[in-house]
Amino acid sequence: MDKLPFVLRYSLLVLVILSCAEILVAIDSLNASRSISHNETLISAQGQFQLGFFKTGSSPRSYLGIWYNVDPNQIVWVANRDSPLNDTSGVLTIQNDGNLVLLADGRRAVWSTNVQNAESGTVSAQLLDTGNLVLKEINEGTVLWQSFDHPAHAMIAGMKLGWDLRISLDRNLTSWKNTDDPAKGEYTYGIRLHGLAQVVIWKGSSIHYRSGPWNGVHFGGIGIRYDLPFITEPVVNLEEVYYTYQMNNKSSSVVSTLTTNGELQLFLGDNTSEDWRLLFKVPTDQCGTYAYCGPNAICFISGPQTCSCMTGYQPNSPQQWDIGVWSGGCVQKRQLNCSERQDFKEIEGVKMPDFVQYQVNLNMSLEECKATCLKNCSCTAYANANASGQPHGCLLWFGDLIDVRPLNIYADQKLALRVSASDLVSESGPNKKKKKIIILVTIAASVCLLSAVLFFTWRRKVENKGGKLGSDETEKENLELPLFNMVTITEATQCFSNANKIGEGGFGPVYKGKLQTGQEIAVKRLAESSFQGLNEFKNEVLLIAKLQHRNLVRLLGCCIHAEERMLIYEYMPNGSLDSFIFGGSNHTKRLLVWRRRYSIIIGISRGLLYLHRDSRLRIIHRDLKASNVLLDCEMNPKISDFGMARTFGEDQLITKTLRVVGTYGYMAPEYVIDGIFSMKSDIFSLGVLILEVVSGKRNSQFHHPDHDFNLLGHAWQLWLEGRAPELIDPSMEDTFPMSQVLRCIQVGLLCVQLRPEDRPDMSCVLQMLGSESSELPQPKRPGFFTERYFKETDSLLAGRWTPDESTRTTIEGR
Ligand SMILES: *[C@@H]1O[C@H](CO)[C@@H](O)[C@H](O)[C@H]1NC(C)=O
Ligand SMILES: *[C@@H]1O[C@H](CO)[C@@H](O)[C@H](O)[C@H]1NC(C)=O
Ligand SMILES: *[C@@H]1O[C@H](CO)[C@@H](O)[C@H](O)[C@H]1NC(C)=O
Ligand SMILES: *[C@@H]1O[C@H](CO)[C@@H](O)[C@H](O)[C@H]1NC(C)=O
């Protein structure tokens, strides 16, 4: 008993020495006599990573975790995610049994490495410069436990994701419960071994996303790419099934994080600042969502319609299919009659169907595989299992084919779909036109202009033998679509006279016209970039014509004449918003009193909400800007050009100009740099627009004598310094409620935040704009807030877009 105070005193002494030592030199290890408590940390030898206690949000709960030294918010590992400490009593220590343990109140273990047969005297725990916390035997150096084998929500370079089959270790990521709570959430990211291994995101126990199976070279859709700052190394053998990645150089880091909404997001950081930019994410789009189109269909991210039935199949419920509810998928047109002659149709470049009813035989040749499938009447498709070398191995599917989409990566793997010979005959008959389909692809390194992911849309002719992916459903004539004839339009526009030309947009010139009925129209003459088939064009126009909202310009119909395609819109007498807010004359500016500006902001937001959420197409505009907002005679704002990028923009992207659809000054960073577009990139453009409406200044041509910031940077700086009212357009002479204007500025800044996930969605934007009482979040740093930064990017991207807005401005429908 006498001994105890001595031990206590001794360890106190050690602690004191330690805390002094910490000031001099940061420690990276613990041993039997060295622990850390809540206000101490371990720092890895080169200073990359830190291990310590952290809190989230306003909650008093604290956790033990590892984070990047330069950015304490970039947490890469959490030990006690499901058993937080409620106070600051936590101590991380090595116990007598050799385990690393997190103690609350100095004795209760809330977390432990749980290693058997280790002894405290002989073990130490070290935080390595890779971010791996390792518990090892001092003498032999044997690793007893490492945090890399017990990932939390994030993966960093050097970590293996997947299986060590020898010890049944399954390393997977689990999302946080919410952004303030590291407890295990509902999504898991890991490798599923069922069938052939594939990378999967689960939501609970159901699949949310899958990569496609391992094919001897890569995991289905996750190819080995050379255009990224890291290199992925997959390993699949009898002992291990995993992938890992290494950075190409030490000056940057990539963190893959499984977010609370089930996306794996890859962020690139430069190791010197808190800036992380999104490289890409999976699922990349709605076709990445597991079985989005239901069974026996193929999901296209672009093109006439999202889901198409495979050859020989038809929509399970045509009514549902018609209104864009795809999940019912497709069924066989008629039961395969096995006495009838059967054949196979090869579909190239698609994600192999999931393994529901299947057989895998890695030793079979492709010929044997085909013969086996033919012999069994319930076999619906086969493919080679191994794309390495000569295609070989055999995958057989029986019954439904689930989750098929075109892939961005080329592999020697073709899905051979069983069809009746009669289906093939009817397809290659004399009336058969060559179908054109649009496939969204991620172009790999060699084609890419930039070391980032870039999504292109790719038009591919499918030859008769290559498989008909276009669906019969698109061939329906539609009577609801008003077709204007060429004579009417020529007359209305006085032979497309220059006097009637009111604009030149990214998609072609726009003319004003007057029908014989007296109705005024705007005619957009599409540049020849529309390579779509006639039916696809009509279908798409019909879909867009069905989008009706008081804040969208109405599409009245179209005109098709030989190779010419034209869109007929209602005419907007007041022209576009930009001529009012940036217009030279004080008279036009004075028209824009605050009340009007506010209702314009609200109107645009409502239109965008409709496009994003309420219309059944869920359109991302991609080119929202002041010149694309038209004003009717009552100065109500109407968004124009919606659906254009979806419909007519993609071809241009690759075949004509290699330009990102969009306009300098309005494009979100993730779109410009990575080609990633989402609703959040529209939100960014909306934010720019809101700040422009409030300030009366153009983001892209903003100059300030004191700094290099553009309008966003200027607004943000004023905001930080509490001088936001200085942003307000001085030509606004009326009186206005300052709180409402400031609220708009704050919402604008929230919309242009650097990280897409920080930006609010449309319904939230409207709610924030409208509510006078509620507290808004503080905006974080905007994306692209300095001109200089933008210009650097510009030269990097030379050729990707035209920095001069005038050449891309789309003025239409006046
Ligand atoms: C830890 O924080 C407490 C206050 O919370 C302080 O009294 C103590 O000295 C700190 N210990 C060290 C080692 O910094
Ligand atoms: C993830 O890994 C844990 C621990 O290895 C395992 O218990 C769990 O089943 C895995 N989850 C999935 C969905 O594979
Ligand atoms: C695929 O084939 C290659 C050689 O052609 C072989 O080395 C590899 O083990 C095969 N992979 C699988 C999963 O069968
Ligand atoms: C066809 O294959 C299925 C699935 O393997 C099997 O259950 C069935 O017995 C086979 N039918 C014939 C006729 O071989």
Side-chain angles (χ1 to χ4, degrees):
M1 279 295 137
D2 270 346
K3 262 179 146 184
L4 207 63
F6 170 74
V7 172
L8 263 179
R9 234 178 296 141
Y10 177 73
S11 48
L12 266 177
L13 187 67
V14 169
L15 257 179
V16 170
I17 292 170
L18 260 184
S19 47
C20 296
E22 199 191 7
I23 297 164
L24 300 173
V25 41
I27 53 165
D28 70 349
S29 346
L30 297 178
N31 56 37
S33 54
R34 195 189 259 179
S35 339
I36 58 169
S37 57
H38 80 277
N39 44 7
E40 297 165 291
T41 60
L42 294 184
I43 297 179
S44 66
Q46 306 289 323
Q48 263 279 55
F49 290 94
Q50 214 174 87
L51 174 142
F53 294 88
F54 69 92
K55 289 188 162 111
T56 58
S58 53
S59 136
R61 292 178 306 227
S62 79
Y63 302 87
L64 177 74
I66 298 174
W67 55 84
Y68 277 94
N69 211 355
V70 291
D71 182 3
N73 290 319
Q74 191 60 270
I75 294 160
V76 296
W77 184 72
V78 188
N80 55 325
R81 53 192 306 193
D82 287 313
S83 37
L85 298 158
N86 293 322
D87 50 28
T88 54
S89 68
V91 173
L92 182 68
T93 184
I94 291 177
Q95 277 198 326
N96 288 339
D97 64 355
N99 271 302
L100 190 61
V101 186
L102 177 59
L103 299 175
D105 310 320
R107 54 203 138 80
R108 189 168 51 90
V110 298
W111 174 86
S112 157
T113 49
N114 270 332
V115 179
Q116 312 295 323
N117 325 318
E119 269 176 55
S120 76
T122 59
V123 300
S124 77
Q126 187 181 11
L127 177 63
L128 305 181
D129 259 316
T130 51
N132 194 5
L133 176 65
V134 179
L135 183 70
K136 63 177 180 230
E137 177 84 53
I138 293 172
N139 297 328
E140 324 242 305
T142 331
V143 172
L144 303 170
W145 178 97
Q146 54 181 342
S147 61
F148 271 14
D149 283 343
H150 303 271
H153 60 286
M155 176 173 180
I156 52 182
M159 203 170 119
K160 295 174 178 176
L161 188 103
W163 292 82
D164 186 333
L165 300 169
R166 295 163 298 195
I167 52 170
S168 301
L169 173 68
D170 175 10
R171 308 176 201 89
N172 55 41
L173 311 183
T174 312
S175 62
W176 286 25
K177 197 160 211 160
N178 59 54
T179 46
D180 283 342
D181 187 354
K184 280 186 176 161
E186 57 180 341
Y187 292 96
T188 312
Y189 176 78
I191 292 188
R192 185 182 74 162
L193 299 174
H194 178 75
L196 290 178
Q198 48 188 331
V199 179
V200 165
I201 298 175
W202 288 268
K203 180 179 185 175
S205 57
S206 50
I207 296 176
H208 174 60
Y209 159 86
R210 68 184 185 104
S211 63
W214 172 253
N215 63 16
V217 187
H218 51 72
F219 289 104
I222 304 184
I224 299 171
R225 304 176 33 163
Y226 303 94
D227 56 334
L228 294 170
F230 57 87
I231 177 84
T232 306
E233 298 158 10
V235 172
V236 178
N237 56 41
L238 291 176
E239 299 185 332
E240 293 184 279
V241 180
Y242 68 84
Y243 82 86
T244 181
Y245 63 85
Q246 304 296 341
M247 299 307 300
N248 291 344
N249 65 53
K250 294 276 167 250
S251 65
S252 59
S253 300
V254 165
V255 189
S256 321
T257 303
L258 185 63
T259 63
T260 52
N261 61 350
E263 286 178 353
L264 187 79
Q265 300 185 342
L266 275 75
F267 289 98
L268 174 67
D270 62 6
N271 289 350
T272 59
S273 69
E274 299 182 4
D275 293 342
W276 297 89
R277 75 179 171 85
L278 185 64
L279 272 182
F280 65 89
K281 60 175 189 175
V282 284
T284 46
D285 50 52
Q286 64 190 17
C287 288
T289 305
Y290 185 70
Y292 186 79
C293 289
N296 308 311
I298 302 181
C299 188
F300 295 96
I301 197 61
S302 174
Q305 60 181 43
T306 311
C307 299
S308 290
C309 290
M310 295 181 183
T311 301
Y313 292 82
Q314 63 193 17
N316 189 6
S317 159
Q319 292 81 14
Q320 297 270 297
W321 207 254
D322 265 354
I323 58 165
V325 176
W326 311 111
S327 55
C330 306
V331 292
Q332 270 164 356
K333 281 186 179 153
R334 54 188 178 288
Q335 195 76 42
L336 272 180
N337 178 353
C338 287
S339 55
E340 197 185 337
R341 204 166 61 80
Q342 307 277 297
D343 210 337
F344 290 95
K345 172 160 229 178
E346 286 182 345
I347 307 174
E348 245 179 297
V350 292
K351 189 189 276 186
M352 292 295 127
D354 200 12
F355 302 111
V356 183
Q357 281 179 279
Y358 67 97
Q359 274 174 22
V360 177
N361 185 330
L362 293 178
N363 301 321
M364 237 182 217
S365 75
L366 206 51
E367 292 70 40
E368 290 171 292
C369 189
K370 178 175 179 178
T372 313
C373 188
L374 260 185
K375 261 187 266 166
N376 186 324
C377 197
S378 46
C379 175
T380 45
Y382 75 89
N384 55 305
N386 195 329
S388 161
Q390 198 63 29
H392 61 286
C394 181
L395 300 176
L396 296 169
W397 287 270
F398 304 90
D400 288 340
L401 304 169
I402 311 279
D403 196 35
V404 178
R405 70 168 298 174
L407 283 183
N408 50 325
I409 290 156
Y410 179 78
D412 271 323
Q413 204 171 18
K414 294 176 191 164
L415 181 68
L417 182 69
R418 186 195 196 108
V419 286
S420 304
S422 56
D423 276 332
L424 281 185
V425 171
S426 70
E427 245 176 50
S428 50
N431 297 336
K432 171 83 174 75
K433 293 185 218 103
K434 278 181 184 171
K435 290 270 171 173
K436 296 166 179 174
I437 57 157
I438 297 170
I439 297 178
L440 183 80
V441 293
T442 314
I443 297 285
S446 53
V447 199
C448 202
L449 291 162
L450 178 69
S451 61
V453 192
L454 177 63
F455 298 94
F456 281 132
T457 297
W458 180 284
R459 183 175 58 92
R460 181 186 282 186
K461 282 184 189 155
V462 177
E463 307 298 341
N464 290 348
K465 66 176 168 45
K468 176 194 158 211
L469 295 181
S471 73
D472 302 325
E473 289 69 47
T474 61
E475 278 161 23
K476 256 182 286 169
E477 264 305 308
N478 220 305
L479 304 172
E480 295 166 71
L481 175 71
L483 278 176
F484 291 78
N485 76 36
M486 189 62 174
V487 179
T488 315
I489 298 302
T490 315
E491 268 173 19
T493 58
Q494 297 171 326
C495 298
F496 299 100
S497 70
N498 264 340
N500 279 24
K501 189 163 159 182
I502 51 176
E504 174 80 50
F507 301 98
V510 186
Y511 298 86
K512 180 189 170 177
K514 194 170 195 173
L515 298 176
Q516 278 184 341
T517 59
Q519 186 184 10
E520 291 185 307
I521 53 171
V523 179
K524 184 178 290 249
R525 210 170 177 180
L526 295 177
E528 245 177 274
S529 57
S530 171
F531 290 100
Q532 278 179 318
L534 202 56
N535 289 321
E536 284 93 338
F537 175 78
K538 284 192 204 165
N539 263 327
E540 194 63 31
V541 171
L542 182 64
L543 285 176
I544 295 176
K546 282 185 181 158
L547 295 176
Q548 291 190 11
H549 185 273
R550 56 183 307 234
N551 295 111
L552 300 182
V553 174
R554 255 196 84 188
L555 181 65
L556 302 173
C558 66
C559 171
I560 299 165
H561 178 72
E563 291 295 289
E564 275 241 46
R565 312 277 154 83
M566 280 169 269
L567 298 173
I568 320 296
Y569 290 96
E570 62 178 333
Y571 175 74
M572 290 287 131
N574 273 327
S576 58
L577 178 62
D578 62 336
S579 60
F580 282 89
I581 44 173
F582 317 126
S585 93
N586 278 338
H587 171 67
T588 50
K589 275 202 162 188
R590 221 172 291 129
L591 282 175
L592 285 184
V593 293
W594 171 251
R595 192 175 42 78
R596 206 161 252 161
R597 290 187 201 225
Y598 182 69
S599 80
I600 286 173
I601 290 175
I602 297 287
I604 299 169
S605 304
R606 288 204 179 119
L608 201 55
L609 173 69
Y610 173 80
L611 288 178
H612 280 185
R613 198 191 69 183
D614 298 336
S615 77
R616 54 171 222 238
L617 294 183
R618 288 176 176 253
I619 291 211
I620 300 172
H621 190 297
R622 282 203 257 176
D623 199 11
L624 186 66
K625 55 182 169 182
S627 59
N628 268 341
V629 174
L630 306 183
L631 299 168
D632 71 5
C633 51
E634 289 169 333
M635 297 292 278
N636 292 314
K638 297 191 180 226
I639 300 175
S640 75
D641 261 6
F642 47 90
M644 293 297 280
R646 166 195 151 99
T647 317
F648 313 109
E650 321 281 28
D651 286 325
Q652 269 201 335
L653 220 76
I654 187 156
T655 57
K656 288 271 173 170
T657 58
L658 289 176
R659 254 192 228 139
V660 171
V661 176
T663 301
Y664 174 68
Y666 291 92
M667 287 183 285
E670 73 277 8
Y671 183 19
V672 175
I673 295 175
D674 306 325
I676 296 172
F677 52 83
S678 67
M679 294 185 181
K680 292 296 178 75
S681 6
D682 272 357
I683 303 282
F684 185 93
S685 311
L686 175 72
V688 175
L689 198 47
I690 292 177
L691 294 173
E692 288 183 336
V693 170
V694 173
S695 66
K697 299 197 177 63
R698 228 186 253 283
N699 185 35
S700 62
Q701 289 164 10
F702 183 82
H703 294 293
H704 196 279
D706 299 344
H707 57 64
D708 269 346
F709 293 157
N710 61 15
L711 179 63
L712 306 187
H714 180 59
W716 192 53
Q717 196 183 32
L718 290 178
W719 181 263
L720 290 181
E721 293 168 4
R723 293 155 57 203
E726 291 175 34
L727 191 68
I728 298 170
D729 191 345
S731 64
M732 227 157 61
E733 286 168 353
D734 58 334
T735 55
F736 41 81
M738 185 57 89
S739 67
Q740 197 177 48
V741 183
L742 291 180
R743 178 165 289 267
C744 285
I745 294 175
Q746 191 167 358
V747 171
L749 283 170
L750 287 168
C751 291
V752 297
Q753 292 177 104
L754 177 65
R755 292 191 183 185
E757 63 272 24
D758 288 339
R759 298 174 208 147
D761 64 14
M762 255 344 284
S763 51
C764 186
V765 167
L766 266 163
Q767 209 180 343
M768 293 194 294
L769 285 173
S771 72
E772 269 307 313
S773 50
S774 69
E775 192 76 16
L776 301 189
Q778 282 305 314
K780 294 187 205 151
R781 211 197 87 170
F784 283 158
F785 65 101
T786 74
E787 282 294 288
R788 200 182 292 123
Y789 175 66
F790 206 88
K791 278 177 187 142
E792 273 166 21
T793 325
D794 185 10
S795 59
L796 260 177
L797 297 168
R800 287 269 308 280
W801 86 82
T802 316
D804 175 9
E805 195 198 353
S806 58
T807 62
R808 293 276 303 142
T809 300
T810 310
I811 306 163
E812 59 129 309
R814 277 182 218 183

